[in-house]
Amino acid sequence: MPVMNIIQAVNDALRIEMERDDRVVVMGEDVGKFGGVFRATQGLYEKFGEDRVFDTPLSEAGIVGTAIGMALYGLRPVPEIQFADFIYPAFDQIVSELAKYRYRSGGQYSCPLVIRAPYGGGIKGGHYHSQSPEAYFIHTPGLKVVIPSNPYDAKGLLISAIRDEDPVLFFEPKRIYRASKGEVPEGDYATPLEKAALVCEGEHCTVIAYGAMLHTAREAVALAAEEGIRCDLLDLRTLLPFDVEAILESVKKTGRAVVVHEAPRTCGFGAELSATIHERALLHLEAPVLRITGFDTPFPYTLEHDYLPDAQRVLSGIRKTVKF
Amino acid sequence: MPVMNIIQAVNDALRIEMERDDRVVVMGEDVGKFGGVFRATQGLYEKFGEDRVFDTPLSEAGIVGTAIGMALYGLRPVPEIQFADFIYPAFDQIVSELAKYRYRSGGQYSCPLVIRAPYGGGIKGGHYHSQSPEAYFIHTPGLKVVIPSNPYDAKGLLISAIRDEDPVLFFEPKRIYRASKGEVPEGDYATPLEKAALVCEGEHCTVIAYGAMLHTAREAVALAAEEGIRCDLLDLRTLLPFDVEAILESVKKTGRAVVVHEAPRTCGFGAELSATIHERALLHLEAPVLRITGFDTPFPYTLEHDYLPDAQRVLSGIRKTVKF
Amino acid sequence: MKAATVVEENLVRVLGDGGRVEKDKDPGLSDDDLLTLYRTMLLTRLLDERMVKFQRQGRIGFYIGSTGEEAAIVGAAFAMGREDWLVPSYRELGAAFLRGFSLREFICQLFGNAEDLIKGRQMPIHYASSRFRVLSISSPVGTQIPHAVGIAMAARIRKTREVVLVFLGEGATSEGDFHTSMNFAGVFKTPCVFVCRNNQWAISVPRDKQTASESIAIKARAYGFEGVQVDGNDVLAVYATTKEAFQKARRGGGPTFIEAFSYRLGAHSTSDDPRVYRSENEVLDWMKRDPLVRFRQYLEKKKLWDKERDEKLTHDLNHDILATLKEVEKIGPPPDQSLFEDVFGTMPWHLREQRDELLQWLKEKGDKLENN
Amino acid sequence: MKAATVVEENLVRVLGDGGRVEKDKDPGLSDDDLLTLYRTMLLTRLLDERMVKFQRQGRIGFYIGSTGEEAAIVGAAFAMGREDWLVPSYRELGAAFLRGFSLREFICQLFGNAEDLIKGRQMPIHYASSRFRVLSISSPVGTQIPHAVGIAMAARIRKTREVVLVFLGEGATSEGDFHTSMNFAGVFKTPCVFVCRNNQWAISVPRDKQTASESIAIKARAYGFEGVQVDGNDVLAVYATTKEAFQKARRGGGPTFIEAFSYRLGAHSTSDDPRVYRSENEVLDWMKRDPLVRFRQYLEKKKLWDKERDEKLTHDLNHDILATLKEVEKIGPPPDQSLFEDVFGTMPWHLREQRDELLQWLKEKGDKLENN
Ligand SMILES: Cc1ncc(C[n+]2csc(CCOP(=O)(O)OP(=O)(O)O)c2C)c(N)n1
Ligand SMILES: Cc1ncc(C[n+]2csc(CCOP(=O)(O)OP(=O)(O)O)c2C)c(N)n1
Ligand SMILES: [Mg+2]
Ligand SMILES: [Mg+2]
């Protein structure tokens, strides 16, 4: 099996889906001849031509808005937003239109499309090249939200997302775009949406993470193991609808949970996970669910290392939870 | 003391602040001569003239974006968004600019302005005249979020919001714009932000609500009292920063909490309240914090009565929590 | 507050005073076609009258009419072929009727009942019909425009002959979505025809406070394609201009922007009272240019129409409306569990749970009511 | 992929070939002023060279230069008065320097260190200076434009003489914020001057794929005010045109839109490699129109400048840059707890808690490191 990084896996998934289904088109700023500022669409323009891989004018609202039209028509657009931080000009089209189109037309229309966007910090990107906006979309009925943490999943989940009947926000962990490498099968395979992966097992505590933070959490779990604390580590992969069964099964076993994400804490996805776990497993819990997250500040530049959860911080959360 | 409804109280607050401070300007769609589609700005155009009360072209991004400029200049704009559902075209300006301006300029600039918008369901407004978007803004560092539930608070909180040094999202419960009436002092008074109000007291359960749902919750609390279940009822008023002390004090007393809001459940503000309470008061809890909320669907039309929490539903939540 | 700016000399016009017509510009429609146009315009006019009353009586929740703008709406949509796509704002019922959307389907939507094609999900007037390629109406102003351009981009990619007709108000030209859509249309040379109903008002905001541009049509130049200003109260002029734009689009000539210069004679919607913000005189002035009257005079001059036929058609249409209303009023609401359908194609666990939660609550409530 | 479209005959130009000048258009600046212009242009040019190297060495994280566009930037900003407001995009360092922003302040920002005016909060190049009325730079393209219009609206409301100068790229004209800002500016007749640096590229997307309009300047007509296309590599033409626009604005004549026709000679930023998307020949062609060279020829012809003086100034500026860098590199980062400041004017409870949480963690970490 070839070894790929996440960018290559994303590129491979796009190529495979475009070969399989001529309704799939790729669009966005700099995705054509240039191949994307992160190179995720490299080679597609040459292979599939400018009708199916094209640069757009500089307008995220236009990218998503016209992609909606294409999906209504019957195509399967895969628009790229250059950075997740720049998705907000398209927020109205996503929240008011994309998310609601099937529902408000009584199921007469649907908008199967995948918005790809690199998200997250750790690349010294400051305010606007670092954000993790997943909670906004998880809170919006009608959208699915997927975040892979490794090349294998990146490819398999992106293929599933493109084949899905509904709109998917597909956020890619740009911090580990190249650093995360692994074996990726050639050709076509689909990793099912809505299923978490149990990355490692242990009986003392459940650690829940996704995307780039999965790696931070894994480091922390390894450190905890050195101290004799053994953890279940769940990689959520699909954030909405999230895999409540996998979560509850693990938490009922361990009686403890730590949730990790980069986004600001207040009203972040960790709040939902915490609420859900407490609601459904209170009597199994030995400690409150703990959130290790980004702080409630805009994403900083110089103090990025203070802002982002690191393994030590997750470890200290695990310790605190286990000692509670 | 005169009796006012919420619209009149808002109008009174605007008038008083405009009289007191000539930097305060009111802007938005149809707010000028017409006095606003809900009449909240009625009479202001005549009193303060078209320089300080003006209609804008039909662009929410333009309204908020230029209001930011005015605030940077030193004015105190109070832009109106005609319905909270139409705030999304301005989402980028709010989230990327308004919320971050003080922080990213190292405190050199600030944006004191108040965005007013009627929110919430119950008026047969369907998808786009019913939404409760508070969670998006609570999750965005740099914004304050305020929702009054009665005329007295509407006036006092709006006055405080206009005097605040930071941007405030001020969502008004349009369902009870006219139905909620009460005595409102004439002239100038400020209700402090960041403080909840304890509406009634009881030892069995804490019910937390805000805006229009406060009234639903109050009804439910009254019904519960008939069954011998006595509740603390907290009107949050400011959602960010919320009054964690008042919440914890009550929950530690009752050992139980029910949170009520109209917005969709997943990743709604109820999730944050639930997570916060569990994190800080787990050992005091006799039952998991329960969320009674809108469902995770777009806001419907015909089945609005099914969607919106009513007193029966809140009551059944209180019962369930108390019996847990 | 002056509402109407117009570069009069550029206005495309076919129908003159008293039913006269500029011969060389007459699009030469068949008698049947002419009568279809008139019938559709009259139908929406009568619906407007009836539904405003109905709303006042509390029998429907809300209504938006098109009185005064029928020519712009019906004239433009008449240029469409079966394979084309209609992307309405919220004031183009006549266009939907021309596509085949039925009165009954429309009225079911007003009631949001169990037979409503959109399952009672949206306010009155927010219909959708995939069968007739009528997109789903959305309240937010301007959000439909990029969808139209996207469909046209798709048609170009798939190399079909489909053309998209999108409607918007002059107020909508202020939104970012208008700009971005027009720009994409220009860059990708999409087969898309924009018809902007400049009815001089966006609720209480007059045209001159909406934009300082000399006309609305000129905005198209910022995107590198043609903008035309047409007399929006002249159904033949609107039809001819739109037809030409469609032909150009089908030839691969790209988009056209049409400003239909007209006037909203009624209130913005049943929630509005225009007397607060505009003068009765302005309205009376525009009533003189009523597009229905102008067209009827033309038909009469052509001997296709007379008072008697008009009275009979009015009577028949009113009868249809009332009969349909009567029938439709009996239909119940959609079932409670339908609240959770169509959020996704397949219902995920959390919505299944919430559905069961609701049904359980409703059962409790029902039991309680029974016990009382 | 053709990048440059221009309606050549309309291009405002003052500097001809070989330092010649169109006499009647010469704005007649004093010798001091001319040298200030040149000095500022040269300073940013030298900084570009130095900082790209610095970034490659990993000593700063990121850089964006303005090589090739100095005339458009410095020429426009030179029209400003003390009381005016500068609203930059991210490529107008020369303009900030003219406002009084110092080299040291700038370099502290590049490092995001403890003396950085914005406390290390943003990436390099995202400076702000309230003292000099330079707004805070933001990465999202186009978001600054409505702020400029808002400030101008405020100035009009307060009846002052302030004028706002806002910069944007031609790519930014595609965003909704551009549209809405231009429209507000037209409707409210705000004292705002828009300078659009049309440098032919938005990262890899050429001007012709950005918009189909015949020029960028013509877009102003959609908003009812004047759009002018000026040779952006001609510092005197840019200055003269902007000065006129400022005078008009101060007279109450409203906004002006200026398209400065130019070219980005360097990469988009240090993250970019333009060889992937554009030809070397195109770049070489534009190098012949280097705005610094053109202006120097003029100064030489005027006997204000010569090779010797140029070498000395280059040497001095380079020395300043290096000396400042050396000094500034020693300054440490802002304190950890500053992470939580300025989110709000007064720190609320949850941020105080989170601050304490961080400091506690850092202490734990430090203790651990000490123990190891
Ligand atoms: C994004 C958004 N903002 C505000 C509104 C409220 N609103 C509904 S219609 C309307 C005026 C629309 O004017 P125009 O585009 O001219 O269309 P017309 O109603 O005149 O046909 C406004 C402001 C809305 N529906 N959507
Ligand atoms: C909203 C948004 N979308 C995308 C980007 C990524 N991006 C940064 S600069 C740029 C191109 C800008 O081009 P232009 O406006 O012509 O300015 P120039 O860089 O040429 O000076 C893009 C696409 C961004 N910063 N913000
Ligand atoms: Mg209108
Ligand atoms: Mg450019």
Side-chain angles (χ1 to χ4, degrees):
Chain A
M1 258 193 285
V3 169
M4 291 186 191
N5 62 30
I6 294 180
I7 280 288
Q8 291 163 331
V10 164
N11 187 271
D12 203 37
L14 291 171
R15 188 183 48 75
I16 286 169
E17 285 306 285
M18 293 191 78
E19 274 170 358
R20 194 188 57 81
D21 183 349
D22 71 358
R23 297 170 307 168
V24 178
V25 300
V26 161
M27 60 195 288
E29 294 156 13
D30 306 294
V31 301
K33 198 171 163 194
F34 191 49
V37 298
F38 287 104
R39 295 284 174 261
T41 58
Q42 196 159 26
L44 300 179
Y45 174 88
E46 287 75 11
K47 193 167 169 62
F48 299 101
E50 123 166 279
D51 267 357
R52 293 184 61 202
V53 185
F54 53 91
D55 289 335
T56 64
L58 212 178
S59 164
E60 290 73 18
I63 292 169
V64 174
T66 58
I68 291 173
M70 293 179 181
L72 292 170
Y73 181 92
L75 300 188
R76 295 273 174 155
V78 187
E80 173 179 300
I81 299 294
Q82 203 159 84
F83 284 82
D85 316 64
F86 303 141
I87 205 165
Y88 305 121
F91 201 77
D92 188 42
Q93 280 292 331
I94 296 173
V95 163
S96 301
E97 300 294 318
L98 182 62
K100 298 180 172 54
Y101 220 104
R102 182 192 286 278
Y103 194 75
R104 78 171 194 224
S105 66
Q108 292 182 84
Y109 288 103
S110 64
C111 286
L113 62 81
V114 181
I115 299 178
R116 291 181 43 249
Y119 89 96
I123 61 154
K124 279 275 182 184
H127 279 38
Y128 301 109
H129 298 81
S130 307
Q131 292 172 47
S132 299
E134 66 271 15
Y136 296 126
F137 303 103
I138 295 170
H139 182 52
T140 307
L143 303 173
K144 296 186 178 178
V145 181
V146 174
I147 303 189
S149 74
N150 61 63
Y152 181 90
D153 284 350
K155 178 172 169 183
L157 291 169
L158 182 52
I159 287 176
S160 290
I162 293 174
R163 294 181 191 172
D164 200 83
E165 55 193 334
D166 285 302
V168 178
L169 279 280
F170 193 87
F171 291 116
E172 300 166 4
K174 65 174 166 303
R175 179 192 196 173
I176 53 167
Y177 253 162
R178 293 195 166 77
S180 173
K181 285 184 193 139
E183 293 202 332
V184 173
E186 281 180 272
D188 182 350
Y189 67 94
T191 307
L193 303 186
E194 312 183 26
K195 287 277 162 236
L198 188 59
V199 176
C200 70
E201 291 189 62
E203 66 279 18
H204 299 130
C205 184
T206 301
V207 179
I208 305 174
Y210 49 89
M213 277 296 124
L214 195 272
H215 301 269
T216 305
R218 192 183 357 228
E219 246 186 90
V221 164
L223 292 171
E226 288 175 21
E227 300 179 8
I229 306 176
R230 286 180 299 275
C231 298
D232 266 7
L233 175 59
L234 276 177
D235 182 353
L236 277 189
R237 306 198 291 193
T238 299
L239 279 60
L240 197 102
F242 57 88
D243 188 346
V244 71
E245 276 178 34
I247 294 169
L248 293 180
E249 193 185 326
S250 172
V251 172
K252 285 179 182 171
K253 178 181 78 179
T254 63
R256 297 177 155 92
V258 172
V259 178
V260 188
H261 62 63
E262 295 181 32
R265 183 173 308 164
T266 299
C267 253
F269 185 44
E272 178 58 42
L273 292 173
S274 170
T276 297
I277 295 171
H278 286 112
E279 278 163 8
R280 289 156 194 263
L282 188 73
L283 299 181
H284 296 85
L285 286 178
E286 311 282 346
V289 178
L290 193 96
R291 293 181 279 173
I292 300 289
T293 67
F295 295 113
D296 286 320
T297 73
F299 201 102
Y301 176 70
T302 306
L303 299 179
E304 170 173 69
H305 56 279
D306 281 343
Y307 182 90
L308 275 178
D310 62 8
Q312 284 300 328
R313 205 184 289 177
V314 177
L315 175 63
S316 106
I318 294 172
R319 282 203 204 111
K320 189 172 160 195
T321 302
V322 170
K323 280 195 208 130
F324 184 85
Chain B
M1 258 193 285
V3 169
M4 292 187 191
N5 62 30
I6 293 181
I7 280 288
Q8 291 163 331
V10 164
N11 187 271
D12 203 37
L14 291 171
R15 189 184 47 76
I16 285 171
E17 284 307 286
M18 293 190 78
E19 274 169 1
R20 194 189 57 82
D21 183 350
D22 71 358
R23 297 170 308 167
V24 177
V25 299
V26 162
M27 59 195 286
E29 295 156 13
D30 307 293
V31 301
K33 197 171 163 194
F34 190 48
V37 297
F38 287 103
R39 296 283 175 259
T41 58
Q42 196 159 25
L44 300 178
Y45 174 89
E46 287 74 11
K47 192 166 170 62
F48 300 102
E50 127 165 279
D51 268 356
R52 291 183 63 201
V53 185
F54 52 92
D55 289 334
T56 64
L58 211 178
S59 164
E60 290 73 18
I63 293 169
V64 174
T66 57
I68 291 173
M70 294 178 179
L72 291 170
Y73 181 93
L75 300 189
R76 295 271 174 157
V78 188
E80 173 179 299
I81 300 294
Q82 202 159 84
F83 285 83
D85 316 65
F86 303 140
I87 205 167
Y88 306 122
F91 201 76
D92 189 42
Q93 280 294 330
I94 296 173
V95 163
S96 302
E97 301 294 318
L98 181 62
K100 297 178 172 54
Y101 220 105
R102 182 192 286 277
Y103 194 76
R104 78 170 194 224
S105 67
Q108 292 182 83
Y109 289 103
S110 64
C111 287
L113 63 82
V114 181
I115 300 178
R116 290 181 44 248
Y119 89 97
I123 61 152
K124 279 276 181 182
H127 279 38
Y128 301 107
H129 298 80
S130 307
Q131 292 172 49
S132 299
E134 65 272 16
Y136 296 125
F137 303 104
I138 295 169
H139 182 53
T140 305
L143 304 174
K144 296 186 179 177
V145 180
V146 174
I147 302 188
S149 74
N150 61 63
Y152 181 90
D153 283 351
K155 178 172 169 182
L157 291 169
L158 183 52
I159 287 176
S160 291
I162 294 173
R163 294 180 190 173
D164 200 83
E165 55 192 336
D166 286 301
V168 178
L169 279 282
F170 193 86
F171 292 116
E172 299 165 5
K174 64 173 167 301
R175 181 192 195 171
I176 53 168
Y177 254 160
R178 294 195 166 76
S180 173
K181 286 183 194 142
E183 294 201 331
V184 173
E186 280 181 274
D188 182 350
Y189 67 95
T191 307
L193 303 187
E194 312 185 23
K195 287 277 163 236
L198 188 57
V199 177
C200 71
E201 291 189 62
E203 66 278 20
H204 299 130
C205 184
T206 301
V207 179
I208 305 173
Y210 50 90
M213 278 295 123
L214 196 273
H215 301 269
T216 306
R218 190 181 0 223
E219 246 186 88
V221 164
L223 292 172
E226 289 175 20
E227 301 178 9
I229 306 175
R230 286 181 297 277
C231 299
D232 265 8
L233 174 58
L234 277 176
D235 182 353
L236 277 188
R237 305 197 292 192
T238 299
L239 279 59
L240 197 100
F242 57 89
D243 188 346
V244 71
E245 275 177 35
I247 293 169
L248 292 180
E249 193 185 325
S250 171
V251 172
K252 284 179 182 170
K253 177 182 77 177
T254 63
R256 296 177 158 90
V258 172
V259 178
V260 188
H261 61 64
E262 294 182 34
R265 184 174 307 165
T266 300
C267 253
F269 185 45
E272 178 57 43
L273 292 173
S274 170
T276 296
I277 295 170
H278 286 111
E279 279 163 6
R280 290 155 194 264
L282 188 74
L283 298 182
H284 296 87
L285 286 178
E286 311 282 347
V289 178
L290 193 95
R291 294 182 276 174
I292 301 290
T293 66
F295 295 112
D296 286 320
T297 73
F299 201 101
Y301 177 69
T302 306
L303 299 178
E304 171 173 69
H305 56 279
D306 280 344
Y307 182 92
L308 276 179
D310 60 9
Q312 283 302 328
R313 205 184 287 178
V314 177
L315 175 64
S316 107
I318 295 172
R319 281 203 204 111
K320 190 173 157 193
T321 302
V322 170
K323 281 196 206 127
F324 183 85
Chain C
M1 242 186 283
K2 218 173 87 269
T5 320
V6 56
V7 192
E8 286 276 359
E9 60 271 33
N10 293 331
L11 209 61
V12 178
R13 193 171 274 162
V14 174
L15 286 175
D17 290 337
R20 265 185 300 277
V21 64
E22 305 215 16
K23 277 273 161 52
D24 55 327
K25 288 188 190 156
D26 190 327
L29 285 170
S30 73
D31 293 352
D32 271 4
D33 284 350
L34 291 169
L35 293 178
T36 301
L37 284 176
Y38 184 71
R39 187 182 185 286
T40 311
M41 290 166 69
L42 184 61
L43 173 57
T44 61
R45 175 71 60 97
L46 295 173
L47 272 166
D48 283 1
E49 286 166 15
R50 182 67 54 184
M51 291 305 158
V52 168
K53 279 187 209 137
F54 245 62
Q55 194 275 341
R56 291 221 183 94
Q57 294 161 8
R59 292 163 81 181
I60 56 171
F62 178 76
Y63 200 76
I64 285 192
S66 57
T67 297
E69 302 179 62
E70 294 92 343
I73 293 159
V74 170
F78 203 69
M80 298 179 78
R82 264 283 146 256
E83 74 276 25
D84 297 328
W85 296 75
L86 175 65
V87 184
S89 71
Y90 44 70
R91 222 183 270 289
E92 296 90 9
L93 179 60
F97 283 155
L98 284 181
R99 300 291 301 158
F101 193 59
S102 75
L103 183 61
R104 189 188 158 94
E105 284 170 324
F106 174 64
I107 295 181
C108 282
Q109 198 282 319
L110 293 184
F111 283 92
N113 64 25
E115 288 184 31
D116 172 13
L117 285 172
I118 69 160
K119 306 186 186 173
R121 299 260 167 72
Q122 290 209 82
M123 287 172 82
I125 289 290
H126 292 66
Y127 48 82
S129 168
S130 63
R131 190 170 148 225
F132 296 116
R133 296 198 159 178
V134 178
L135 253 57
S136 159
I137 292 175
S138 181
S139 318
V141 165
T143 50
Q144 80 282 11
I145 316 174
H147 309 164
V149 175
I151 293 176
M153 285 164 76
R156 223 209 40 184
I157 291 171
R158 303 299 268 193
K159 302 191 171 41
T160 72
R161 284 171 43 80
E162 294 147 283
V163 176
V164 185
L165 176 63
V166 54
F167 282 100
L168 57 140
E170 90 292 346
T173 66
S174 294
E175 288 281 6
D177 275 349
F178 166 76
H179 175 65
T180 221
S181 308
M182 292 285 284
N183 195 40
F184 274 56
V187 167
F188 295 109
K189 266 201 139 195
T190 54
C192 187
V193 178
F194 302 79
V195 174
C196 178
R197 297 177 290 91
N198 176 2
N199 63 9
Q200 314 305 333
W201 291 93
I203 309 184
S204 78
V205 179
R207 149 66 175 94
D208 282 358
K209 287 197 170 180
Q210 197 60 250
T211 178
S213 67
E214 59 201 86
S215 74
I216 304 290
I218 203 174
K219 290 179 184 284
R221 285 201 64 188
Y223 311 102
F225 60 92
E226 199 189 351
V228 192
Q229 207 180 26
V230 57
D231 181 343
N233 286 14
D234 174 344
V235 68
L236 296 183
V238 175
Y239 168 73
T241 306
T242 315
K243 186 82 197 170
E244 216 174 286
F246 265 71
Q247 282 162 348
K248 180 177 104 183
R250 266 197 244 284
R251 278 197 313 269
T256 307
F257 181 79
I258 298 168
E259 173 188 356
F261 197 85
S262 182
Y263 193 80
R264 161 161 68 71
L265 286 175
H268 170 74
S269 73
T270 48
S271 313
D272 179 43
D273 178 5
R275 286 167 307 180
V276 181
Y277 54 78
R278 67 184 189 186
S279 78
E280 201 59 24
N281 276 342
E282 184 182 298
V283 182
L284 289 173
D285 210 43
W286 275 92
M287 277 193 176
K288 292 183 204 142
R289 308 183 231 174
D290 184 330
L292 264 171
V293 175
R294 271 172 73 187
F295 191 37
R296 189 162 58 220
Q297 287 172 343
Y298 165 80
L299 295 176
E300 283 169 358
K301 208 173 162 86
K302 262 198 124 159
K303 306 279 182 248
L304 281 173
W305 205 245
D306 55 31
K307 200 164 169 246
E308 211 169 304
R309 275 188 264 195
D310 207 63
E311 278 166 7
K312 170 146 179 21
L313 180 61
T314 303
H315 175 270
D316 291 353
L317 291 175
N318 269 327
H319 180 267
D320 279 3
I321 293 169
L322 284 172
T324 312
L325 276 168
K326 224 172 188 172
E327 257 178 63
V328 160
E329 262 191 312
K330 289 182 222 139
I331 306 170
D336 297 303
Q337 66 267 26
S338 73
L339 182 63
F340 303 92
E341 292 162 10
D342 303 320
V343 181
F344 296 101
T346 311
M347 203 183 291
W349 69 268
H350 65 297
L351 286 168
R352 287 197 310 272
E353 268 196 25
Q354 292 179 15
R355 177 198 57 198
D356 297 346
E357 207 174 291
L358 173 69
L359 295 179
Q360 177 62 31
W361 278 329
L362 293 176
K363 200 169 157 301
E364 277 176 33
K365 229 195 249 182
D367 289 354
K368 214 186 133 189
L369 284 179
E370 252 167 53
N371 294 345
N372 287 2
Chain D
M1 240 184 286
K2 221 174 85 268
T5 321
V6 56
V7 194
E8 286 277 357
E9 60 270 35
N10 294 331
L11 210 60
V12 179
R13 191 170 276 160
V14 175
L15 287 174
D17 290 336
R20 265 185 301 276
V21 66
E22 304 214 18
K23 278 272 159 52
D24 55 325
K25 290 190 189 155
D26 190 326
L29 285 170
S30 73
D31 293 352
D32 270 4
D33 284 349
L34 291 169
L35 292 177
T36 301
L37 283 176
Y38 184 70
R39 188 183 183 286
T40 312
M41 290 167 71
L42 184 62
L43 174 57
T44 62
R45 175 70 62 96
L46 296 173
L47 271 166
D48 283 1
E49 286 166 15
R50 182 67 54 184
M51 290 305 158
V52 168
K53 281 188 206 137
F54 244 62
Q55 194 276 341
R56 290 221 183 95
Q57 294 162 6
R59 292 163 81 180
I60 56 171
F62 177 78
Y63 200 77
I64 284 192
S66 57
T67 297
E69 301 178 61
E70 294 91 344
I73 294 160
V74 171
F78 203 69
M80 299 178 76
R82 265 283 144 257
E83 75 277 24
D84 298 326
W85 295 75
L86 174 65
V87 184
S89 72
Y90 44 70
R91 221 183 270 291
E92 295 91 9
L93 178 60
F97 283 154
L98 284 182
R99 299 292 301 158
F101 193 59
S102 76
L103 183 61
R104 189 189 158 93
E105 285 169 322
F106 173 63
I107 295 181
C108 283
Q109 198 282 319
L110 294 183
F111 284 92
N113 63 27
E115 290 185 29
D116 172 12
L117 285 173
I118 70 159
K119 306 189 187 171
R121 299 257 168 74
Q122 290 209 82
M123 288 172 81
I125 291 292
H126 292 68
Y127 48 83
S129 168
S130 64
R131 189 169 149 226
F132 297 115
R133 297 199 159 180
V134 178
L135 253 57
S136 159
I137 292 176
S138 180
S139 316
V141 165
T143 50
Q144 79 282 11
I145 316 174
H147 309 165
V149 175
I151 293 175
M153 285 164 75
R156 223 209 39 184
I157 291 170
R158 303 299 267 193
K159 303 192 170 42
T160 72
R161 284 171 42 81
E162 295 149 284
V163 176
V164 185
L165 176 63
V166 54
F167 283 100
L168 58 141
E170 91 292 346
T173 65
S174 294
E175 288 281 7
D177 275 348
F178 166 76
H179 175 63
T180 222
S181 308
M182 292 285 284
N183 195 42
F184 275 55
V187 167
F188 296 108
K189 266 201 141 196
T190 53
C192 186
V193 179
F194 302 79
V195 173
C196 177
R197 297 177 292 89
N198 175 3
N199 64 8
Q200 315 304 332
W201 291 91
I203 309 186
S204 79
V205 179
R207 149 66 175 95
D208 282 359
K209 287 197 169 181
Q210 197 61 249
T211 179
S213 68
E214 59 200 86
S215 74
I216 304 292
I218 202 173
K219 290 178 184 286
R221 286 202 62 190
Y223 311 103
F225 60 92
E226 197 188 352
V228 192
Q229 206 179 30
V230 57
D231 182 342
N233 286 14
D234 175 342
V235 68
L236 296 183
V238 174
Y239 167 72
T241 307
T242 315
K243 187 83 199 167
E244 215 174 287
F246 265 71
Q247 283 162 346
K248 179 177 104 184
R250 266 196 245 285
R251 277 198 312 271
T256 306
F257 181 79
I258 298 169
E259 173 188 356
F261 198 85
S262 182
Y263 193 80
R264 160 163 67 71
L265 286 174
H268 170 74
S269 74
T270 49
S271 312
D272 178 43
D273 178 4
R275 286 168 309 180
V276 181
Y277 56 79
R278 67 185 190 184
S279 78
E280 201 56 26
N281 276 342
E282 184 182 298
V283 182
L284 289 173
D285 209 43
W286 275 94
M287 277 193 175
K288 291 182 205 140
R289 307 184 231 174
D290 184 329
L292 264 170
V293 175
R294 270 172 74 186
F295 191 39
R296 189 161 60 221
Q297 286 172 344
Y298 166 81
L299 295 176
E300 283 169 1
K301 207 171 162 86
K302 262 197 126 160
K303 305 279 182 250
L304 280 173
W305 205 245
D306 55 31
K307 201 164 167 245
E308 213 169 305
R309 276 188 262 194
D310 207 62
E311 278 167 5
K312 171 148 178 16
L313 180 61
T314 303
H315 175 271
D316 290 352
L317 291 174
N318 269 327
H319 180 268
D320 277 1
I321 294 170
L322 283 171
T324 313
L325 277 167
K326 224 174 188 169
E327 255 178 65
V328 161
E329 260 189 316
K330 287 182 224 139
I331 305 168
D336 297 304
Q337 65 268 27
S338 72
L339 182 62
F340 303 91
E341 292 162 7
D342 302 321
V343 181
F344 296 101
T346 312
M347 203 181 294
W349 69 268
H350 64 297
L351 286 168
R352 289 197 309 271
E353 268 196 26
Q354 292 180 14
R355 178 197 58 199
D356 297 345
E357 206 174 291
L358 173 70
L359 295 178
Q360 177 61 28
W361 278 329
L362 292 175
K363 199 168 160 299
E364 276 175 35
K365 230 195 248 182
D367 289 353
K368 214 187 132 189
L369 284 178
E370 252 167 50
N371 294 345
N372 285 0

